[in-house]
Structures are given as C-alpha cells and as structure tokens.
C-alpha cells in the first residue's frame, strides 16, 4: 500500500481524475474570481509551464471578449493532455456531479512522452542558437518537438526548424555521441536537459 493508491485484485485504484475547469472559466470570471489556484507542487517544470500557459491563453481570450469555439477548447485540451495527467474530470462537485472514486488507473495518460537525449553545451545569444550533445540512444531530427529544462531556465517547448551538425552543415538528424545546433529564441544554459517529445501509446 502507498497512501490512498493501492492495488486491488480487479486492478482498480483509488485515484480520481484530474479536475479540469477550462470550460468553466467564463462562469468563474463572471462570479468574480480573480485568482486561480493551479496545482503544481511535486510536478515537473514542463507540466507547470504547459498548464499555466494554456490557462493563461484561455483567460486572456475570454477577458478580451472572445467566446471560445469548440475547436479552440479542443486545441486547449490537446495541450493539457500532452503533459502528465490521469485523465480529466470536467465536471465537479461544485456542479452537483458525482465521480466514481474507483478509477481504473492512476497512471500517466499524457499523449506525449518526453525522452531525454542529452544536454545543452552552449548558447550563442547574439544569433539565438543552442548547441547540444546527444548522450542517449535516440536521435534528434529536424521538425522534432523538444523540451529543454533547467533550474534557471525552467521549461521551454520548441520545434527544431533547422538542424546543424558539428561542422555547421545542415542535417536531418544528430545521433548518439554527436553534437549539433538548432535555432532557439529563448535563452538556454549549458547543462540544461534536452528532451524530445514522442507520441505516447497510452
């Protein structure tokens, strides 16, 4: 047993889904709410960055008088789903809804998996280029979605639009043991961890 999460013979675990109030934001604002508490304790920097950025975008849109469309909500939910989650409960006891507390799984249901490839070795601020070295088994490829994290950097999500090899020549991929570089508008630092984001099989 580990606290409230314990394995049962029928594979059910006492672990409610994550509460998601994205669709209730207009009502919360209309009710006078001025502060939202987003759970971030014990979560990774990329989780906090993605969740707060998505809610910030939604709030700004609503505050500026835009009524979110079904497609916009779907895009926001896709962003939320890309990081750690146990599935979303978009209702709430505050709406008079009930939730079966016996969830089928407390496992991470994120649609994307982060795989550490290596580390940032240098950053050239004048030209906004990050240099890196691949130390793990996977390769970094052009058009890959990436995540860079560090104690000072926080979490930066980006896409590799251009990739150079150790000699500065354009390349489609950088393999294990090799160094390379890509454009990065936000400042990163030597020692920051470099991850590639791959589609999960959850």
């Amino acid at each position: 047993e580990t606290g409230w999460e314990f394995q049962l013979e029928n594979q059910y675990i006492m672990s409610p889904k994550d509460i998601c109030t994205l669709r209730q934001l207009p009502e919360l604002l209309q009710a006078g709410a001025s502060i939202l508490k987003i759970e971030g304790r014990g979560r990774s920097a990329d989780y906090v960055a993605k969740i707060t950025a998505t809610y910030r975008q939604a709030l700004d849109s609503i505050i500026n008088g835009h009524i979110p469309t079904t497609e916009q909500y779907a895009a926001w939910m896709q962003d939320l789903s890309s990081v750690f989650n146990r599935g979303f409960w978009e209702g709430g006891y505050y709406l008079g809804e009930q939730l079966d507390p016996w969830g089928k799984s407390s496992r991470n249901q994120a649609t994307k998996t982060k795989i550490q490839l290596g580390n940032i070795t240098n950053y050239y601020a004048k030209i906004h280029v990050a240099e890196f070295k691949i130390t793990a088994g996977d390769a970094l490829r052009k058009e890959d979605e990436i995540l860079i994290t560090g104690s000072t950097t926080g979490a930066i999500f980006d896409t590799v639009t251009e990739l150079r090899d150790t000699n500065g020549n354009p390349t489609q991929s950088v393999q294990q043991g090799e160094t390379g570089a890509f454009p990065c508008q936000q400042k990163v630092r030597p020692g920051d961890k470099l991850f590639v984001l791959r589609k999960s099989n959850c």
Side-chain angles (χ1 to χ4, degrees), residues 41-108:
R41 291 176 298 177
R43 300 293 178 91
S44 62
D46 56 292
Y47 171 90
V48 175
K50 180 64 72 175
I51 299 299
T52 55
T54 302
Y55 269 81
R56 179 75 270 170
Q57 184 180 4
L59 283 168
D60 288 343
S61 177
I62 296 167
I63 290 172
N64 289 327
H66 302 296
I67 300 175
T69 63
T70 300
E71 291 75 17
Q72 183 61 74
Y73 274 122
W76 288 332
M77 288 303 298
Q78 186 174 8
D79 284 342
L80 296 180
S81 299
S82 68
V83 293
F84 178 89
N85 71 85
R86 297 171 298 172
F88 296 112
W89 183 29
E90 295 189 67
Y93 292 116
Y94 46 84
L95 296 178
E97 297 185 10
Q98 298 295 316
L99 173 70
D100 181 359
W102 300 98
K104 290 186 177 180
S105 176
S106 64
R107 295 177 181 175
N108 182 11

Side-chain angles (χ1 to χ4, degrees), residues 18-61:
D18 295 335
I19 295 175
C20 178
T21 58
L22 199 64
R23 297 180 193 275
Q24 284 75 48
L25 289 180
E27 288 81 1
L28 290 172
L29 292 173
Q30 188 175 10
S34 58
I35 297 175
L36 290 181
K37 169 66 169 66
I38 296 177
E39 182 60 55
R41 291 176 298 177
R43 300 293 178 91
S44 62
D46 56 292
Y47 171 90
V48 175
K50 180 64 72 175
I51 299 299
T52 55
T54 302
Y55 269 81
R56 179 75 270 170
Q57 184 180 4
L59 283 168
D60 288 343
S61 177

Side-chain angles (χ1 to χ4, degrees), residues 4 6 12 22 44 46 59 71 74 81 96 105 108-110 114 130 134-135 150 156 158-159 161 166 175 180:
W4 284 102
F6 53 92
Y12 276 55
L22 199 64
S44 62
D46 56 292
L59 283 168
E71 291 75 17
S81 299
S105 176
N108 182 11
Q109 296 183 36
K114 57 182 182 181
I134 302 295
T135 57
I156 295 174
D158 207 346
T159 299
T161 57
T166 188
Q175 307 293 324

Side-chain angles (χ1 to χ4, degrees), residues 5-19:
E5 297 183 0
F6 53 92
Q7 192 70 41
L8 300 177
E9 290 183 3
N10 60 2
Q11 303 297 311
Y12 276 55
I13 297 174
M14 182 70 166
S15 180
K17 294 180 179 181
D18 295 335
I19 295 175

